[in-house]
Amino acid sequence: MGIGRFLIILGAILIVVGALISILPRLPIPIGRLPGDLVFRGKNWVFYFPLGTSILLSVVLTLILWLVARR
């Protein structure tokens, strides 16, 4: 694969990710605050592990990539 084609694909991916980042906060889906996301709060610290969000994104991306690879 040539460097030009790689840069075009990378640019397209960055555009899609940028659009998703700007659209997701407006949706009623609480990405980052789903059931299963672990939050531990101490006196002077907070530990946040988005387990539920990670599983959801993994399933969605797996389905999308599976559909793309079938072609």
Side-chain angles (χ1 to χ4, degrees), residues 4-66:
R5 189 172 182 186
F6 173 74
L7 289 174
I8 290 171
I9 292 171
L10 183 63
I13 291 171
L14 287 174
I15 289 171
V16 170
V17 169
L20 286 175
I21 288 173
S22 65
I23 292 172
L24 282 177
R26 298 178 191 152
L27 294 177
I29 302 168
I31 297 293
R33 287 177 262 121
L34 294 173
D37 291 346
L38 305 174
V39 178
F40 299 103
R41 299 178 194 277
K43 187 174 181 180
N44 294 320
W45 57 271
V46 176
F47 176 75
Y48 177 72
F49 186 73
L51 184 62
T53 301
S54 298
I55 292 171
L56 177 67
L57 289 176
S58 175
V59 169
V60 169
L61 289 174
T62 299
L63 288 173
I64 291 171
L65 291 174
W66 179 73

